[in-house]
């Protein structure tokens, strides 16, 4: 995500020219994306969008990372600010990428937030108060929590690359020398993996036997698959798909899964759709390199996608797994 935001903020990403297209690489994609599917832009004009989450009340929330806000888009009411200072409550911003990033919901429908500037994961309670779920590991401050997902047992998994720190990997305020994948269970923050340079998006397979993690490191750009052990920890990771040689804009980022096990992964130039076995079925190409996606609307067959300054959606044939 860091590279994409930097290119967008500095004007080196190409300007949006259209609403995109669906690239079909396999006949199997026809069972997922209708032949007449349209990519629609539903909102525009933000700093950089991330973390879309469909709320049970019937509206979409998403992060505007550099503007430090969580935005709300309602089908009938347009766009409004849902939460100010969503990733940092201080006076002087710590760099350009300090707002909230990944968003999700727990079983009770409470919003859970990755806060870049505050370097923590929080939960927004029903009364409006914040509960800190994770901000340190073994006494050291986290880097900048990026994305997160709940397991069905209520435990929370999140990634912690240094992308939200002003000097990223070389930032003097960094207290952890690695980028971790963590689990929060109760009040315990447990390190599950530190093998990836830039762990980013993550999602469980429908049966929760595997955890998929994208890596947006400066060299390795790929998606990994980790076996989930019965105790919730992770086995050794295996490369699911590697795009390190891609010259297109963007890198592996946020991802989601449908009920058939297909993966929808933000990557170079679009949302890459994979079968559960790692076959690249097609790509939803967007005007800007996307950062994340999530399911919404009644039935959960509409995929919302955040990309650059805008939010897009496409209606699919399959139902997604959502909180």
């Amino acid at each position: 995500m860091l590279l994409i935001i930097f290119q967008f903020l500095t004007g080196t990403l190409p300007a949006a020219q259209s609403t995109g297209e669906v690239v079909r690489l396999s006949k199997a994609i026809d069972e997922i994306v209708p032949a007449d599917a349209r990519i629609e832009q539903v909102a525009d004009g933000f700093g950089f969008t991330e973390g879309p989450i469909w709320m049970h009340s019937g509206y979409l929330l998403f992060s505007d990372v550099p503007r430090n806000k969580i935005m709300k888009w309602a089908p009938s009411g347009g766009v409004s600010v849902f939460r100010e200072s969503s990733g940092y409550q201080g006076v002087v911003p710590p760099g350009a990428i300090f707002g909230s990033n990944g968003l999700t919901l727990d079983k009770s429908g409470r919003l859970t937030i990755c806060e870049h500037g505050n370097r923590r994961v929080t939960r927004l309670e029903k009364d409006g108060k914040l509960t800190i779920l994770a901000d340190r590991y073994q006494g050291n401050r986290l880097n900048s929590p990026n994305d997160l997902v709940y397991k069905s047992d209520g435990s929370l998994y999140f990634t912690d690359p240094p992308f939200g720190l002003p000097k990223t990997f070389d930032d003097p305020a960094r207290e952890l020398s690695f980028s971790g994948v963590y689990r929060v269970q109760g009040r315990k923050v447990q390190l599950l993996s530190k093998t990836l340079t830039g762990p980013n998006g993550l999602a469980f397979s429908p049966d929760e036997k595997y955890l998929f993690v994208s890596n947006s490191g400066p060299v390795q750009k790929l998606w990994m698959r980790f076996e989930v052990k019965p105790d919730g920890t992770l086995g050794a990771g295996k490369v699911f798909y590697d795009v390190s040689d891609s010259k297109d804009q963007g890198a592996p980022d946020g991802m989601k899964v449908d009920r058939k096990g297909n993966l929808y992964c933000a990557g170079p130039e679009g949302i890459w759709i994979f079968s559960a076995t790692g076959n690249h079925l097609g790509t939803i190409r967007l005007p800007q390199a996307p950062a994340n996606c999530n399911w919404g609307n009644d039935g959960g067959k509409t995929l919302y996608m955040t990309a650059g300054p805008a939010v897009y959606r496409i209606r699919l044939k399959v139902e997604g797994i959502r909180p």
Side-chain angles (χ1 to χ4, degrees):
M1 184 199 71
L2 173 68
L3 175 63
I4 303 173
I5 292 182
F6 175 79
Q7 290 174 325
F8 177 73
L9 293 177
T10 57
T12 54
L13 271 179
Q17 299 295 324
S18 67
T19 52
E21 63 175 337
V22 177
V23 178
R24 298 172 185 268
L25 302 177
S26 168
K27 289 184 178 180
I29 195 71
D30 298 335
E31 300 301 317
I32 298 173
V33 184
D36 60 350
R38 295 174 57 246
I39 301 170
E40 302 174 274
Q41 184 186 87
V42 300
D44 193 11
F46 309 101
F48 188 90
T49 56
E50 248 284 8
I53 183 71
W54 187 262
M55 303 297 287
H56 298 163
S57 300
Y59 56 87
L60 185 77
L61 296 181
F62 57 93
S63 296
D64 189 341
V65 182
R67 294 179 181 173
N68 198 20
K69 297 178 181 180
I70 295 175
M71 305 301 298
K72 172 182 177 180
W73 176 82
S76 59
V79 177
S80 59
V81 176
F82 177 82
R83 186 172 182 82
E84 300 273 5
S85 303
S86 61
Y88 184 67
Q89 280 79 41
V91 177
V92 181
I97 310 171
F98 61 100
S100 59
N101 194 329
L103 308 173
T104 194
L105 301 176
D106 70 2
K107 286 185 175 180
S108 300
R110 293 175 295 186
L111 185 67
T112 310
I113 308 166
C114 284
E115 300 184 8
H116 263 186
N118 292 323
R119 300 168 67 175
R120 66 189 187 183
V121 180
T122 58
R123 185 180 64 218
L124 184 61
E125 307 295 346
K126 299 297 184 180
D127 62 2
K129 295 181 180 179
L130 278 178
T131 297
I132 298 174
L133 302 180
D135 63 350
R136 294 178 182 271
Y137 174 68
Q138 294 185 343
N140 297 306
R141 291 190 71 187
L142 297 173
N143 294 315
S144 54
N146 191 286
D147 209 349
L148 67 178
V149 64
Y150 279 99
K151 197 169 180 281
S152 60
D153 64 1
S155 56
L156 178 67
Y157 291 64
F158 71 92
T159 55
D160 184 46
F163 299 157
L165 299 176
K167 295 184 179 180
T168 61
F169 294 94
D170 299 319
D171 198 284
R174 192 177 183 189
E175 297 181 17
L176 295 168
S177 61
F178 55 86
S179 300
V181 178
Y182 295 89
R183 179 177 66 159
V184 180
Q185 193 167 32
R187 296 185 177 181
K188 181 180 179 182
V189 179
Q190 181 182 18
L191 176 65
L192 302 180
S193 175
K194 58 178 182 179
T195 60
L196 301 177
T197 55
N200 199 322
L202 68 177
F204 283 105
S205 60
D207 59 10
E208 297 186 336
K209 291 183 178 180
Y210 298 101
L211 179 70
F212 296 90
V213 182
S214 62
N215 188 71
S216 305
V219 178
Q220 287 188 315
K221 299 178 181 180
L222 45 80
W223 291 277
M224 298 289 294
R225 189 183 76 170
F226 292 85
E227 181 181 354
V228 181
K229 297 180 180 180
D231 63 358
T233 59
L234 302 181
K238 296 182 179 180
V239 175
F240 182 73
Y241 203 92
D242 193 331
V243 290
S244 299
D245 293 334
S246 174
K247 304 301 181 184
D248 292 330
Q249 297 284 356
D253 209 319
M255 70 176 85
K256 299 298 180 288
V257 178
D258 70 23
R259 295 197 176 277
K260 295 183 178 181
N262 300 305
L263 279 80
Y264 302 74
C265 304
E269 296 293 335
I271 302 294
W272 292 50
I273 303 177
F274 297 103
S275 70
T277 56
N279 293 323
H280 183 198
L281 306 179
T283 302
I284 304 170
R285 294 179 66 92
L286 299 172
Q288 301 278 5
N292 215 329
C293 60
N294 214 334
W295 306 96
N297 293 79
D298 294 338
K301 292 183 178 180
T302 300
L303 187 69
Y304 285 85
M305 303 162 284
T306 53
V311 179
Y312 301 88
R313 69 180 177 185
I314 186 171
R315 180 74 173 176
L316 304 178
K317 293 182 177 181
V318 293
E319 182 180 353
I321 295 178
R322 55 180 175 167

